[in-house]
Amino acid sequence: MWYGILQISNEPQVNNQYDGMVAHIPLNEEISGAEDSTNYSEIYLENESGTKTAATAGTFIQRQDGLAGFAKEFDGTNDYLTFADFTPPADEMSIVAHIIPDSGSSGTRTILSKWNNGSDTLNDYELELNPNHKVKFNCLANGGSAMTTVTGPPIPIDGKTPTAILATVDTNTREGNLKLYYNGKLVAQSDVAAAGASTATEWEGGGFISSTTADVEDDSGVLYVGANANASGTRADFFDGRIEEIVIYDRVIYPVVPSKGSYLLDRPLYEVDSNFSSPVEYTAKLFIKDYHNIRGKTTEEVAASS
Protein backbone atom coordinates (compact mmCIF):
# COMPACT_ATOMS: atom_id res chain seq x y z
CA MET A 1 0.00 0.00 0.00
CA TRP A 2 1.45 3.30 -1.02
CA TYR A 3 0.05 6.60 -2.18
CA GLY A 4 1.09 10.23 -2.39
CA ILE A 5 -0.04 13.33 -0.52
CA LEU A 6 -0.03 16.51 -2.59
CA GLN A 7 0.33 19.67 -0.51
CA ILE A 8 -0.60 23.03 -2.06
CA SER A 9 -0.01 26.23 -0.10
CA ASN A 10 0.26 29.95 -0.69
CA GLU A 11 3.12 30.00 1.82
CA PRO A 12 6.70 30.37 0.46
CA GLN A 13 7.48 26.70 1.07
CA VAL A 14 5.98 23.40 2.15
CA ASN A 15 8.41 22.01 4.72
CA ASN A 16 7.20 18.43 5.10
CA GLN A 17 4.18 16.16 4.76
CA TYR A 18 2.76 17.50 8.04
CA ASP A 19 2.81 21.12 6.91
CA GLY A 20 -0.54 22.68 7.78
CA MET A 21 -1.44 20.12 10.45
CA VAL A 22 -3.07 21.19 13.71
CA ALA A 23 -2.95 17.75 15.35
CA HIS A 24 -0.54 14.87 14.73
CA ILE A 25 -0.86 11.71 16.82
CA PRO A 26 1.95 9.25 15.93
CA LEU A 27 0.66 6.02 17.44
CA ASN A 28 3.51 4.13 15.74
CA GLU A 29 6.08 5.20 18.35
CA GLU A 30 7.21 2.87 21.12
CA ILE A 31 6.30 3.61 24.72
CA SER A 32 7.53 2.01 27.95
CA GLY A 33 5.66 -0.44 30.10
CA ALA A 34 3.77 -3.66 29.50
CA GLU A 35 2.10 -4.55 26.23
CA ASP A 36 -1.33 -4.03 27.78
CA SER A 37 -0.71 -0.46 28.77
CA THR A 38 -2.23 2.47 30.57
CA ASN A 39 0.82 4.66 29.92
CA TYR A 40 -1.26 7.12 27.96
CA SER A 41 0.86 10.04 29.19
CA GLU A 42 3.65 8.89 26.83
CA ILE A 43 1.38 9.28 23.80
CA TYR A 44 1.17 12.83 22.57
CA LEU A 45 -0.59 15.17 20.19
CA GLU A 46 1.69 17.59 18.38
CA ASN A 47 0.20 20.90 17.22
CA GLU A 48 1.15 23.28 14.40
CA SER A 49 3.79 24.99 16.59
CA GLY A 50 5.54 21.74 17.44
CA THR A 51 4.19 21.70 21.00
CA LYS A 52 3.54 18.16 22.25
CA THR A 53 0.66 17.58 24.66
CA ALA A 54 0.22 14.21 26.36
CA ALA A 55 -3.02 12.27 26.15
CA THR A 56 -5.28 12.98 29.11
CA ALA A 57 -6.72 9.48 29.60
CA GLY A 58 -6.95 6.07 28.01
CA THR A 59 -6.07 2.39 27.80
CA PHE A 60 -4.75 0.39 24.84
CA ILE A 61 -2.47 -2.45 23.78
CA GLN A 62 0.96 -1.75 22.30
CA ARG A 63 1.76 -3.80 19.19
CA GLN A 64 5.05 -4.26 17.37
CA ASP A 65 3.56 -5.06 13.97
CA GLY A 66 2.70 -1.61 12.68
CA LEU A 67 3.24 -0.65 9.06
CA ALA A 68 5.94 1.84 10.01
CA GLY A 69 7.00 0.90 13.52
CA PHE A 70 4.63 0.16 16.37
CA ALA A 71 0.83 0.46 16.52
CA LYS A 72 -1.78 0.84 19.24
CA GLU A 73 -4.53 -1.75 19.41
CA PHE A 74 -7.98 -1.00 20.81
CA ASP A 75 -10.03 -3.93 22.13
CA GLY A 76 -13.52 -2.80 21.05
CA THR A 77 -14.75 -2.91 24.65
CA ASN A 78 -13.28 -0.08 26.69
CA ASP A 79 -9.98 1.04 25.10
CA TYR A 80 -9.64 4.67 24.01
CA LEU A 81 -7.46 7.79 24.17
CA THR A 82 -8.41 11.41 24.78
CA PHE A 83 -6.54 14.59 23.91
CA ALA A 84 -7.20 18.16 25.00
CA ASP A 85 -8.72 20.66 22.56
CA PHE A 86 -6.42 22.15 19.93
CA THR A 87 -6.51 24.92 17.32
CA PRO A 88 -9.58 24.04 15.25
CA PRO A 89 -9.71 23.84 11.46
CA ALA A 90 -12.06 26.42 9.98
CA ASP A 91 -13.10 26.50 6.32
CA GLU A 92 -10.87 23.57 5.31
CA MET A 93 -9.96 20.32 7.06
CA SER A 94 -8.30 17.00 6.22
CA ILE A 95 -8.14 13.91 8.45
CA VAL A 96 -5.72 11.06 7.76
CA ALA A 97 -6.07 7.78 9.68
CA HIS A 98 -4.26 4.47 9.11
CA ILE A 99 -6.22 1.53 10.52
CA ILE A 100 -6.34 -2.28 10.57
CA PRO A 101 -9.74 -3.42 11.93
CA ASP A 102 -9.82 -6.78 13.67
CA SER A 103 -11.69 -9.72 12.18
CA GLY A 104 -15.04 -10.37 13.79
CA SER A 105 -15.50 -6.77 14.91
CA SER A 106 -19.07 -5.56 14.64
CA GLY A 107 -21.39 -2.65 15.35
CA THR A 108 -20.35 0.99 15.06
CA ARG A 109 -16.61 1.39 15.73
CA THR A 110 -15.30 4.92 16.13
CA ILE A 111 -11.84 5.78 14.80
CA LEU A 112 -11.95 9.33 16.15
CA SER A 113 -14.50 11.91 17.24
CA LYS A 114 -14.31 15.56 18.29
CA TRP A 115 -16.60 15.80 21.29
CA ASN A 116 -19.21 18.57 21.60
CA ASN A 117 -18.15 19.28 25.21
CA GLY A 118 -21.71 18.66 26.37
CA SER A 119 -22.97 21.77 24.57
CA ASP A 120 -25.38 19.88 22.29
CA THR A 121 -26.23 16.40 21.02
CA LEU A 122 -24.02 16.50 17.91
CA ASN A 123 -20.25 16.19 17.88
CA ASP A 124 -18.10 18.45 15.71
CA TYR A 125 -16.96 15.56 13.50
CA GLU A 126 -16.66 11.77 13.60
CA LEU A 127 -14.83 9.13 11.59
CA GLU A 128 -16.17 5.63 12.13
CA LEU A 129 -16.90 2.17 10.76
CA ASN A 130 -20.62 1.41 10.54
CA PRO A 131 -22.09 -2.08 11.19
CA ASN A 132 -21.65 -2.90 7.49
CA HIS A 133 -17.87 -2.24 7.71
CA LYS A 134 -18.19 0.96 5.69
CA VAL A 135 -16.21 4.07 6.65
CA LYS A 136 -18.56 6.91 7.58
CA PHE A 137 -17.46 10.53 7.95
CA ASN A 138 -19.82 12.92 9.76
CA CYS A 139 -19.16 16.65 10.08
CA LEU A 140 -21.17 19.55 11.51
CA ALA A 141 -21.26 23.05 10.02
CA ASN A 142 -20.94 25.97 12.42
CA GLY A 143 -24.23 26.30 14.31
CA GLY A 144 -25.83 23.55 12.24
CA SER A 145 -28.58 21.19 13.35
CA ALA A 146 -27.71 18.25 11.06
CA MET A 147 -24.39 16.55 10.39
CA THR A 148 -23.43 16.11 6.76
CA THR A 149 -22.33 12.53 6.06
CA VAL A 150 -20.41 10.62 3.39
CA THR A 151 -20.13 6.82 3.46
CA GLY A 152 -17.72 4.68 1.49
CA PRO A 153 -17.86 1.02 0.46
CA PRO A 154 -16.92 -1.79 2.87
CA ILE A 155 -13.25 -2.19 3.79
CA PRO A 156 -11.44 -5.44 4.75
CA ILE A 157 -12.14 -6.60 8.30
CA ASP A 158 -9.61 -9.40 8.71
CA GLY A 159 -7.07 -8.12 11.24
CA LYS A 160 -4.40 -8.01 8.52
CA THR A 161 -5.30 -5.57 5.74
CA PRO A 162 -4.48 -1.88 6.32
CA THR A 163 -6.63 0.94 5.01
CA ALA A 164 -5.43 4.53 4.74
CA ILE A 165 -8.42 6.83 5.16
CA LEU A 166 -8.47 10.47 4.09
CA ALA A 167 -11.54 12.61 4.83
CA THR A 168 -11.66 16.24 3.69
CA VAL A 169 -13.91 19.26 4.20
CA ASP A 170 -13.77 22.21 1.80
CA THR A 171 -16.30 25.01 2.27
CA ASN A 172 -14.88 26.86 -0.75
CA THR A 173 -16.61 24.63 -3.30
CA ARG A 174 -20.25 24.45 -4.35
CA GLU A 175 -20.37 20.66 -4.32
CA GLY A 176 -18.35 17.79 -2.95
CA ASN A 177 -17.65 19.75 0.23
CA LEU A 178 -17.00 16.48 2.05
CA LYS A 179 -14.87 13.80 0.37
CA LEU A 180 -13.71 10.38 1.46
CA TYR A 181 -10.71 8.46 0.08
CA TYR A 182 -9.40 4.93 0.64
CA ASN A 183 -5.70 4.42 -0.04
CA GLY A 184 -5.67 7.60 -2.11
CA LYS A 185 -8.77 6.78 -4.21
CA LEU A 186 -11.98 8.84 -4.03
CA VAL A 187 -14.88 6.64 -2.86
CA ALA A 188 -17.60 9.11 -1.79
CA GLN A 189 -18.45 12.82 -1.74
CA SER A 190 -21.33 15.03 -0.61
CA ASP A 191 -23.90 16.61 -2.92
CA VAL A 192 -24.22 20.22 -4.09
CA ALA A 193 -24.19 22.58 -1.09
CA ALA A 194 -27.62 23.20 0.42
CA ALA A 195 -29.51 26.41 -0.28
CA GLY A 196 -29.53 27.10 3.45
CA ALA A 197 -28.63 25.00 6.48
CA SER A 198 -26.70 21.77 6.03
CA THR A 199 -28.47 18.44 5.56
CA ALA A 200 -27.44 14.80 5.79
CA THR A 201 -26.03 14.89 2.25
CA GLU A 202 -25.36 18.63 1.70
CA TRP A 203 -22.98 21.06 3.37
CA GLU A 204 -24.27 24.47 4.42
CA GLY A 205 -24.53 26.92 1.52
CA GLY A 206 -27.01 29.71 0.90
CA GLY A 207 -24.37 32.09 -0.41
CA PHE A 208 -22.18 31.74 2.68
CA ILE A 209 -19.58 29.39 1.29
CA SER A 210 -16.12 30.23 2.70
CA SER A 211 -17.53 32.42 5.46
CA THR A 212 -17.68 31.85 9.21
CA THR A 213 -21.19 30.40 9.06
CA ALA A 214 -20.04 27.52 6.85
CA ASP A 215 -16.92 26.65 8.90
CA VAL A 216 -16.45 23.35 10.72
CA GLU A 217 -18.10 23.48 14.14
CA ASP A 218 -15.80 23.83 17.16
CA ASP A 219 -17.17 23.17 20.64
CA SER A 220 -13.77 23.04 22.39
CA GLY A 221 -14.32 19.46 23.54
CA VAL A 222 -11.65 16.77 23.75
CA LEU A 223 -10.61 14.58 20.82
CA TYR A 224 -11.44 10.91 21.30
CA VAL A 225 -9.41 8.23 19.51
CA GLY A 226 -10.94 4.77 19.44
CA ALA A 227 -14.28 5.81 20.95
CA ASN A 228 -17.19 8.23 20.76
CA ALA A 229 -19.02 10.08 23.51
CA ASN A 230 -22.53 11.45 23.94
CA ALA A 231 -23.45 14.87 25.32
CA SER A 232 -22.95 13.69 28.92
CA GLY A 233 -19.48 12.37 28.08
CA THR A 234 -20.38 8.67 28.31
CA ARG A 235 -18.08 6.70 26.00
CA ALA A 236 -19.43 4.22 23.44
CA ASP A 237 -18.83 2.67 19.99
CA PHE A 238 -15.27 1.54 20.78
CA PHE A 239 -12.89 0.74 17.92
CA ASP A 240 -11.72 -2.85 17.55
CA GLY A 241 -8.32 -3.11 15.86
CA ARG A 242 -5.09 -1.20 15.31
CA ILE A 243 -4.60 2.49 14.64
CA GLU A 244 -1.13 3.64 13.63
CA GLU A 245 -1.31 7.34 12.83
CA ILE A 246 -3.80 10.19 12.90
CA VAL A 247 -3.23 13.63 11.37
CA ILE A 248 -5.67 16.55 11.22
CA TYR A 249 -4.86 19.44 8.87
CA ASP A 250 -6.41 22.90 8.60
CA ARG A 251 -6.23 22.67 4.81
CA VAL A 252 -7.32 20.31 2.07
CA ILE A 253 -4.62 17.85 1.02
CA TYR A 254 -4.86 15.83 -2.16
CA PRO A 255 -4.03 12.12 -2.68
CA VAL A 256 -2.16 10.75 -5.67
CA VAL A 257 -2.42 7.02 -6.40
CA PRO A 258 0.39 5.08 -8.13
CA SER A 259 -1.74 4.02 -11.09
CA LYS A 260 -2.30 7.64 -12.09
CA GLY A 261 0.80 9.46 -10.84
CA SER A 262 -1.03 12.78 -10.98
CA TYR A 263 -3.99 14.62 -9.48
CA LEU A 264 -6.50 16.68 -11.43
CA LEU A 265 -7.36 19.62 -9.20
CA ASP A 266 -11.15 19.99 -9.25
CA ARG A 267 -11.39 23.21 -7.26
CA PRO A 268 -10.27 26.75 -8.21
CA LEU A 269 -7.25 28.42 -6.65
CA TYR A 270 -7.38 32.16 -6.12
CA GLU A 271 -5.22 33.85 -8.74
CA VAL A 272 -5.20 37.27 -7.03
CA ASP A 273 -5.38 38.35 -3.41
CA SER A 274 -8.55 39.57 -1.69
CA ASN A 275 -7.88 43.14 -2.83
CA PHE A 276 -7.39 42.03 -6.45
CA SER A 277 -4.11 43.94 -6.38
CA SER A 278 -1.43 41.27 -6.75
CA PRO A 279 -1.16 37.68 -8.00
CA VAL A 280 -1.08 34.78 -5.55
CA GLU A 281 1.79 32.32 -5.84
CA TYR A 282 1.47 28.70 -4.72
CA THR A 283 3.94 26.07 -3.63
CA ALA A 284 3.17 22.41 -4.33
CA LYS A 285 5.03 19.36 -3.06
CA LEU A 286 4.29 15.66 -3.33
CA PHE A 287 5.06 13.26 -0.47
CA ILE A 288 4.97 9.48 -0.92
CA LYS A 289 3.49 7.32 1.85
CA ASP A 290 5.20 3.95 1.29
CA TYR A 291 4.58 1.49 4.11
CA HIS A 292 5.06 -2.13 3.16
CA ASN A 293 6.07 -2.36 -0.48
CA ILE A 294 8.34 -5.33 0.27
CA ARG A 295 5.25 -7.38 1.14
CA GLY A 296 3.43 -6.39 -2.04
CA LYS A 297 2.46 -8.75 -4.88
CA THR A 298 1.64 -6.38 -7.74
CA THR A 299 3.44 -3.63 -9.62
CA GLU A 300 1.33 -1.02 -7.83
CA GLU A 301 2.27 -2.40 -4.41
CA VAL A 302 5.96 -2.90 -5.12
CA ALA A 303 8.08 0.03 -6.30
CA ALA A 304 9.69 -1.11 -9.55
CA SER A 305 12.98 0.33 -10.77
CA SER A 306 13.86 0.93 -14.42
Side-chain angles (χ1 to χ4, degrees):
M1 181 191 73
W2 69 277
Y3 65 99
I5 288 178
L6 178 64
Q7 285 261 25
I8 300 177
S9 173
N10 57 3
E11 298 295 328
Q13 62 182 11
V14 175
N15 296 313
N16 54 61
Q17 64 177 306
Y18 302 112
D19 199 270
M21 66 85 177
V22 292
H24 177 212
I25 306 172
L27 298 175
N28 57 358
E29 295 187 354
E30 182 180 10
I31 66 168
S32 63
E35 181 181 89
D36 193 352
S37 181
T38 57
N39 290 352
Y40 58 81
S41 61
E42 294 187 29
I43 298 178
Y44 63 86
L45 179 153
E46 183 176 4
N47 67 14
E48 69 279 11
S49 301
T51 301
K52 297 179 180 180
T53 303
T56 55
T59 59
F60 53 88
I61 301 169
Q62 179 163 252
R63 295 284 297 265
Q64 295 184 349
D65 52 354
L67 298 179
F70 289 76
K72 303 301 179 284
E73 183 170 12
F74 299 81
D75 64 6
T77 302
N78 56 12
D79 283 353
Y80 70 98
L81 288 165
T82 57
F83 298 88
D85 190 28
F86 49 89
T87 304
D91 62 336
E92 296 183 18
M93 178 173 70
S94 297
I95 300 174
V96 175
H98 299 136
I99 67 170
I100 302 178
D102 277 349
S103 59
S105 60
S106 61
T108 298
R109 290 140 291 167
T110 304
I111 301 165
L112 67 82
S113 64
K114 186 63 167 56
W115 186 44
N116 58 41
N117 205 27
S119 58
D120 53 51
T121 59
L122 300 174
N123 288 327
D124 297 346
Y125 46 87
E126 304 162 340
L127 190 62
E128 62 189 28
L129 287 178
N130 71 12
N132 297 317
H133 312 314
K134 299 177 179 181
V135 176
K136 184 179 179 183
F137 176 45
N138 311 309
C139 193
L140 183 65
N142 183 46
S145 58
M147 299 187 86
T148 302
T149 296
V150 289
T151 304
I155 65 171
I157 307 293
D158 57 11
K160 300 177 182 178
T161 306
T163 301
I165 301 167
L166 169 62
T168 65
V169 181
D170 187 354
T171 69
N172 299 293
T173 59
R174 290 292 176 179
E175 62 181 330
N177 303 96
L178 271 64
K179 292 185 177 181
L180 184 64
Y181 302 83
Y182 294 170
N183 302 328
K185 299 178 181 179
L186 179 66
V187 294
Q189 62 181 348
S190 58
D191 297 336
V192 175
S198 57
T199 71
T201 60
E202 305 163 322
W203 190 251
E204 182 175 307
F208 295 106
I209 296 296
S210 194
S211 76
T212 303
T213 53
D215 283 353
V216 177
E217 178 80 347
D218 175 49
D219 287 314
S220 70
V222 299
L223 177 72
Y224 279 92
V225 174
N228 207 335
N230 59 24
S232 65
T234 301
R235 293 183 294 276
D237 300 334
F238 295 93
F239 185 75
D240 189 0
R242 282 166 278 169
I243 304 177
E244 187 160 349
E245 182 180 45
I246 288 174
V247 192
I248 302 175
Y249 298 83
D250 66 356
R251 67 175 61 153
V252 175
I253 61 174
Y254 307 93
V256 177
V257 295
S259 59
K260 294 183 179 180
S262 63
Y263 184 88
L264 179 62
L265 199 64
D266 56 3
R267 58 162 286 192
L269 296 175
Y270 293 104
E271 297 184 9
V272 294
D273 62 20
S274 58
N275 297 319
F276 301 98
S277 58
S278 60
V280 177
E281 296 183 355
Y282 293 92
T283 301
K285 187 173 289 188
L286 176 65
F287 300 92
I288 298 298
K289 305 286 281 189
D290 186 359
Y291 285 111
H292 63 314
N293 60 333
I294 293 176
R295 307 176 205 172
K297 298 179 180 179
T298 68
T299 301
E300 281 193 357
E301 293 173 334
V302 181
S305 59
S306 58

